[in-house]
Structure formats: structure tokens, C-alpha cells
Amino acid sequence: MKIKSPTAGIFLGVSLAAISAFGADTNGPAIIPLPQKMELHAGAFKLTPDTRIYVDSASREAEFFLTDRLRKSTGYPLKTDTKFLSSTAIKNGILLTTKDANTNLGAEGYELGIAPDSVMICAPTQAGLFYGVQTLLQLLPPEIFSANLITNVDWQMPCVQIEDWPRFKWRGLMLDVSRHFYNKSQVETILDAMALHKLNMFHWHLTDDQGWRIEIKKYPKLTQIGAWRAGVGFGLDPKSTTAYDPDGRYGGYYTQKDIREVVAYAAARHITIVPEIEMPGHSSAALVAYPQFSCTGGPFTIPLKGGVFNGIYNPANDETFKFLDDVLTEVFQLFPGKYIHIGGDEVPKDTWKNSPDCQALMKREGLKNEEELQSWFIRRIEKFVSAHGRTMIGWSEILQGGLASNAVVMDWIGGATEAASSGHDVVMSPTGYCYLDLYQSKDRSTEPHAIGGFISLGKIYSFAPTPENLPKQYESHILGAQANLWTECIPNLNCAEYMIFPRLTALAEVDWSPKSTRNFDDFSRRLQIEFQRFDRLGVNYRRITTNAPAANPAK
Ligand code: ACM
């Protein structure tokens, strides 16, 4: 697509001299992630109260998102014409269309043309239109992200011609809601910030030792008992959170109605939710509620601090698999996405070693060690997930003892090259680059208490998701990269946002933009404008992008 100027009647790219061919190190617009191709032209389009939005009726969702945002901050009435099906720009209009879109842009690509008298976003899919809207908003002054009317702003966007599409198809964030609970509206706040960054996979870590957070109708004790613990735990100040029930227990959970609403909220932002139900380890919260699925019969308590606990399912009991199949069946009904995450990490094997039933099972099945028993467990679950038309994904350890046939690996401690070169898809989230629970500064005295380690903004920005030693023919198995926020030390949303941003902003550029345009200085320049957007959106973030001291948000 080339945007046709309605007044000049000639192609914009020809009618206006390109004042710069945009590269990563120029003074160009502060778009994050940086588009694949952008030409900056002379002039600007000015939003006025008379600007009209034109959209075909099938593309209303992207239009709603745009007009809602524009109306709130500008106060302009901005009428919408929905009967319009055109691939030609319209004077004083913003046109959103799929008509005559360039299908080579792929399932998430778009073109955005801004001329002095018109704006047009053209994309082959609704996701592409949505991403075009995100870029358009970033071309306006950052005040556009205000929830309230702002006056005295010149609502101009520079004339550009953009062709854009993502480098990777998995651009993710994981949030651990087990160690600390974030309610539905807090999760939606994080989804909003993901959408701003064109991130598309939200990995929801719903169960772990310290809390079970998803209502399962068939097993009500999972949330009646497993969602609550004696206190906030992890040595944190009880006042650092408000997630208590009337009896003073710490915790919370999502009802199935909550989950459906969050899934719909995410879908409207073209974000797929990947639910994680941990097994066979990290399962104390489930076993407190249903100790009959453990090897020892309990008793169990929900641990109040981190570490690896003995919450491990009993694979020698067929009822365990019936329970897990039932749970997954409800999960399938709630989450329409392709991927179901089953954890699989840090499985403590001693309980299986000491269990005569598990040892007898291993003998019967010809399993040489507990790693093979783990693999046997995961393969059994993988068959169930596959039989329901979904794809199972698990952490690195699912490679131990042999990888299940259709499994996808989420690499946090290795295994990417081995898995990808045997034809498995892989998501990259290595601890050295993608763990947002690590400190952001070497000077810990000015930072909120964190789990340890150190990952700077620059480190995450330098991440190369494709392993160097992976033969070229397997590179397409690297689906993309994901940042993980484990929340042992993170009791509230303010703190979570501080740990996430701007490091997730850096990862968004790693996931979306061409490797060749990566430039930390230019990213840092654009980040200063992104910070102004965060301020308008009310998103907390670490303000300092070097290792200088920063304000401590936990105080
Ligand atoms: C993990 O960090 N235990 C996947």
C-alpha cells in the first residue's frame, strides 16, 4: 500500500520529499518497538474536532480502541463512519481498513501512512490494524495516553510511511500470581501495558506451592483451601499488600467468570493467554487441598517462603491423572489459545525415590530412574493435551528423560538447541536475560528487595533469542522471547510494574524489531518519551536507565 493523498491525487511517497530515510540512530519519532521500515516525510497531520474515523464494520475493535483513547485525552467528539470500505485515504480522516491489504505483511503486519490531510492504516488482519493503531498513538504527543482531558496540546503526528511486522511470533510476559496475588483489574493493567508494546503472549502462572489461583468447579477445595495461606510470607511487610480475606488469610483466586473476562480483555488487545498449571512438582497448594494425590498422603501446608518444596504428585495413583485430566478439561474450556503450559520445572525426586509405589511403577514401565519417571508423567499429560487439540509447553526440564513428541520447550536453563534441532518449537526465557525478578542495579541499597542477581536494561536489550550454535535450518523453531516475573519478593502491582518496566520495553524491541536496527543509545532516547507515556498511563517504572540510584517504590 502507498497512501494516496486525497488532495494531491498522487502517491504520498512521491509527492513529498522524504526528509530522512529513518534509521535507528536518527532523531526520529519515539516508536517502541522500532518499526521494520519507516520513512519520515515533511509535514504533519493535525487532529481536530472535525477529524473523522472511517472503518469497515468488521474492524470496529481496533477503531474502538483508537477513538476511546483519542476522545479521553483530546476531548474531541471524533465521529466514526462505519459503512466505509475503501483502500483510499480520505481528507481529514483516519481510515482503518483491511481492503486491498498487502498479505505479505503476515498475520500481524500493517502499513501506516500519514499525510498532511489524511491518515490510513491498512492491514490484512485485525491484529495488524491493532498494531497500526498502537504506532499511530505513539506518533502523537505522549499526553494522548492521559485518561483525562488535556488542553493546550497540539495534537499533531509527523508524516510517515511505515511498513511493519514482528520479527518473532511469541512476544511474551509471564506473571507469577501464586507467590503473590494480583487481582483481575491489576492483571488487566499489565495487559494494557503489554498491548502498548505489541506483546502478544501472556503466560499466567496460576498454580505453585504458595497458592492455587484458578477456580476449578469439580475440585472446589483447590481455591477454598489452596488459595489461602497464613500470611504474606517471604519475610515481607504484611502492610505491603491488601490481598487478605476477612479472616486475615493472605491470598485470592480468579473465579471462572473472572478468567473469561480476562481472556476476552486480552483477546481485544490481540494477546493470547497461556495458562500454566504446574505439575508434577511445585504443587503443594493443590496437595494441601487434596492430599490423596500425593505420595505420602500429607499432611501439607502452604509454605510461606521460597525454595523447592515437596509438593509433588503421585504418578503411581491413577486417580492423580483423573484429577489432572479433570482440571485440564476445565482449563481447556476457559482458555481458547493453542498452548497449555504444564510447568515441569524443579521436580524434587526424593519423594518418588522413597515411595514403594513409585518404585514399583518404574519397574513395571521399565523406567531406569526418576528422570524417566518424570518424562513418563509428562508424556502422559502431553497425550491428553494433544488429544484435545492443544499444544503442551513446559520448562527446560521436560527434556529430562526424553521429550514428549509434540511438546514445546520454554528454555530457562538450557535445552533450546537440543529441542529445536530435533524439530520442537522453543520459547526463549533464559535466567541471564529474561528474569525480571532480578535486581536492575548493582547498587541494591536504593532498590526494592529482590530475589538476587542483576539484569540491567542494557543486558536485556542485548539479548539474541536465536542460539548461536543452532543450525540455520532450525531457526524457525525459535518462536520468540519472553520475560518472566516471579513474585516471591513482589507483593503489589506498584512493585511489579517497577520490576517489569522498562526492561519489558527492551524485550519488546528484541522480539519485534530487526536485529540490524538495535541501538541502545537510540532506544534510550525513545525511552524518555515512553516514560512520559507511562506517566500518563499511571504505569510505575524504574526511571533511571543507567546504574545510578533510583527511587525505591517499596517504601
Ligand atoms: C523457573 O524459573 N523455575 C522456571
Side-chain angles (χ1 to χ4, degrees):
M1 176 195 81
K2 273 276 185 220
I3 302 292
K4 218 175 173 192
S5 165
T7 45
I10 48 175
F11 289 123
L12 175 68
V14 180
S15 66
L16 295 169
I19 59 169
S20 80
F22 187 76
D25 54 355
T26 74
N27 219 18
I31 300 171
I32 300 180
L34 196 69
Q36 297 275 348
K37 289 187 188 172
M38 175 158 78
E39 285 174 11
L40 189 58
H41 295 268
F45 177 88
K46 192 171 160 73
L47 207 61
T48 71
D50 299 327
T51 303
R52 235 173 221 263
I53 317 287
Y54 297 92
V55 62
D56 57 81
S57 55
S59 306
R60 289 304 304 271
E61 216 161 62
E63 180 270 321
F64 281 141
F65 193 93
L66 176 65
T67 44
D68 182 56
R69 175 67 68 213
L70 297 182
R71 279 189 196 125
K72 273 187 194 146
S73 44
T74 65
Y76 296 164
L78 298 175
K79 293 207 181 72
T80 299
D81 189 333
T82 59
K83 289 183 283 301
F84 216 85
L85 199 59
S86 167
S87 53
T88 313
I90 304 153
K91 190 170 162 48
N92 201 24
I94 299 177
L95 171 63
L96 273 58
T97 188
T98 52
K99 189 157 190 282
D100 301 330
N102 175 6
T103 50
N104 291 334
L105 292 165
E108 297 182 294
Y110 67 93
E111 287 176 271
L112 167 62
I114 300 180
D117 55 1
S118 62
V119 175
M120 181 163 155
I121 302 174
C122 188
T125 68
Q126 295 302 310
L129 280 185
F130 184 79
Y131 294 139
V133 165
Q134 300 311 314
T135 300
L136 183 158
L137 289 170
Q138 292 194 2
L139 286 160
L140 282 159
E143 290 87 348
I144 204 71
F145 290 95
S146 170
N148 305 310
L149 178 67
I150 304 275
T151 50
N152 298 326
V153 173
D154 200 5
W155 299 112
Q156 288 202 24
M157 36 190 142
C159 290
V160 287
Q161 180 69 36
I162 291 175
E163 259 185 46
D164 200 12
W165 62 90
R167 179 175 172 212
F168 289 108
K169 50 185 175 220
W170 188 301
R171 306 179 300 279
L173 172 69
M174 185 221 67
L175 181 68
D176 164 15
V177 295
S178 173
R179 276 50 178 271
H180 285 100
F181 180 63
Y182 302 85
N183 65 29
K184 175 177 159 261
S185 102
Q186 292 170 331
V187 170
E188 289 176 352
T189 299
I190 289 176
L191 292 170
D192 280 335
M194 285 180 69
L196 173 72
H197 293 85
K198 302 188 178 86
L199 294 163
N200 68 340
M201 303 302 269
F202 178 65
H203 170 177
W204 209 357
H205 186 78
L206 287 162
T207 74
D208 210 304
D209 292 307
Q210 287 85 9
W212 182 285
R213 307 283 177 223
I214 170 175
E215 178 188 29
I216 299 294
K217 302 266 191 209
K218 207 161 182 179
Y219 299 94
K221 285 194 286 187
L222 284 170
T223 43
Q224 286 164 0
I225 296 173
W228 303 98
R229 59 185 192 240
V232 66
F234 298 100
L236 296 173
D237 179 356
K239 291 200 279 306
S240 60
T241 171
T242 55
Y244 297 103
D245 75 356
D247 298 329
R249 295 185 304 172
Y250 175 85
Y253 66 92
Y254 312 101
T255 64
Q256 294 205 347
K257 180 169 173 288
D258 288 338
I259 300 243
R260 286 202 171 89
E261 287 171 6
V262 175
V263 167
Y265 194 90
R269 287 151 184 77
H270 297 276
I271 296 170
T272 299
I273 300 195
V274 180
E276 181 179 352
I277 306 295
E278 268 272 12
M279 61 186 84
H282 281 293
S283 297
S284 302
L287 295 174
V288 170
Y290 294 97
Q292 62 268 41
F293 306 128
S294 71
C295 295
T296 60
F300 290 93
T301 51
I302 295 191
L304 289 178
K305 58 183 172 66
V308 180
F309 295 93
N310 214 3
I312 181 168
Y313 290 114
N314 179 7
N317 178 359
D318 264 353
E319 292 300 306
T320 302
F321 288 101
K322 163 121 186 32
F323 164 76
L324 291 171
D325 291 354
D326 288 344
V327 167
L328 288 174
T329 300
E330 292 193 31
V331 168
F332 297 150
Q333 285 159 7
L334 291 168
F335 295 95
K338 174 176 173 189
Y339 297 101
I340 303 291
H341 203 302
I342 55 77
D345 58 320
E346 299 180 309
V347 178
K349 311 283 187 332
D350 281 355
T351 311
W352 286 351
K353 276 197 176 91
N354 297 330
S355 156
D357 289 347
C358 290
Q359 295 303 313
L361 168 66
M362 286 166 59
K363 213 165 182 184
R364 264 198 323 276
E365 296 290 333
L367 305 170
K368 285 197 291 295
N369 50 38
E370 286 71 25
E371 280 69 32
E372 289 195 2
L373 178 56
Q374 173 177 319
S375 171
W376 179 88
F377 186 114
I378 300 285
R379 283 173 204 265
R380 188 159 169 173
I381 295 293
E382 192 278 324
K383 274 205 187 80
F384 186 76
V385 173
S386 284
H388 288 79
R390 308 303 181 92
T391 299
M392 190 198 82
I393 177 161
W395 297 108
S396 296
E397 291 94 322
I398 66 168
L399 282 150
Q400 291 171 4
L403 188 53
S405 48
N406 297 316
V408 174
V409 173
M410 187 167 273
D411 177 340
W412 72 290
I413 47 166
T417 299
E418 181 188 342
S421 35
S422 58
H424 291 262
D425 285 344
V426 174
V427 176
M428 298 301 298
S429 60
T431 50
Y433 288 92
C434 296
Y435 270 46
L436 302 182
D437 53 335
L438 274 60
Y439 281 98
Q440 304 183 65
S441 168
K442 280 188 177 152
D443 179 4
R444 296 185 179 183
S445 67
T446 56
E447 292 294 309
H449 171 62
I451 199 114
F454 169 54
I455 294 183
S456 68
L457 180 69
K459 177 102 190 269
I460 198 162
Y461 192 75
S462 72
F463 182 44
T466 307
E468 261 176 21
N469 59 351
L470 182 66
K472 217 166 180 51
Q473 69 266 34
Y474 301 117
E475 283 185 358
S476 63
H477 285 298
I478 304 298
L479 299 181
Q482 173 176 296
N484 297 330
L485 188 69
W486 300 104
T487 58
E488 285 92 340
C489 303
I490 303 170
N492 58 52
L493 180 66
N494 194 49
C495 223
E497 288 179 337
Y498 180 86
M499 298 306 279
I500 294 173
F501 300 109
R503 289 185 293 185
L504 185 65
T505 312
L507 189 79
E509 189 142 309
V510 168
D511 265 327
W512 183 284
S513 310
K515 198 175 168 190
S516 57
T517 58
R518 215 121 29 104
N519 175 326
F520 189 64
D521 288 342
D522 184 62
F523 173 73
S524 303
R525 174 187 68 79
R526 285 177 283 127
L527 202 52
Q528 296 310 311
I529 307 294
E530 186 80 343
F531 287 171
Q532 294 178 41
R533 295 180 190 125
F534 288 164
D535 288 338
R536 295 292 170 174
L537 288 164
V539 170
N540 192 26
Y541 58 94
R542 185 173 192 270
R543 283 162 171 75
I544 310 294
T545 56
T546 63
N547 286 337
N552 184 343
K555 285 185 179 153

